[in-house]
Amino acid sequence: MARRLIDPRIKLRHIACFLEVARLKSVVNAAEALNISQPAASKTIQELEELLGVALFDRSKRSLFLSPFGEIFQRYAAASITALRQGVDSIAKAQTDAVIVKVGALPTVSATSCPRRSSCSPRRA
């Protein structure tokens, strides 16, 4: 059975906006937290719902609640954002932890001081 690909039109901004609206239960407050306008946040949620083909929120007069589909999506969206953050943090840590040491050695010393498979090679004048 072929696996269905994720719609490439779903962007990180959709997921981030969805998670913020779900957390704050308010498009206005989520827009403020994300430093975007309220209409932009509303449009982003609407686009995501259209791409997924389901309503993610049950809307009442003044507040939003996750629909059953929204609850499912939130679980996986939060996990994916957490995994991406961990990946970015791991790369940043690896960059700061990686230290390259270059050793210059004369040919008479390098034969006994440098391992065979290192990048330590004698320089020729």
Side-chain angles (χ1 to χ4, degrees), residues 70-88:
E71 290 176 8
I72 293 168
F73 189 71
Q74 182 187 30
R75 186 175 338 135
Y76 293 101
S80 67
I81 292 294
T82 299
L84 284 170
R85 281 190 185 127
Q86 289 172 344
V88 170

Side-chain angles (χ1 to χ4, degrees), residues 28-105:
V28 173
N29 294 341
E32 186 175 316
L34 294 169
N35 293 317
I36 61 176
S37 68
Q38 181 274 323
S42 293
K43 183 178 179 187
T44 300
I45 295 299
Q46 182 181 10
E47 287 172 359
L48 181 60
E49 288 177 328
E50 287 173 7
L51 292 169
L52 295 174
V54 296
L56 297 170
F57 294 96
D58 290 329
R59 293 158 174 87
S60 68
K61 291 181 182 177
R62 283 278 184 196
S63 60
L64 294 175
F65 298 98
L66 287 172
S67 70
F69 294 114
E71 290 176 8
I72 293 168
F73 189 71
Q74 182 187 30
R75 186 175 338 135
Y76 293 101
S80 67
I81 292 294
T82 299
L84 284 170
R85 281 190 185 127
Q86 289 172 344
V88 170
D89 291 347
S90 294
I91 289 172
K93 185 177 181 334
Q95 286 177 328
T96 59
D97 290 350
V99 176
I100 297 174
V101 177
K102 293 186 178 188
V103 176

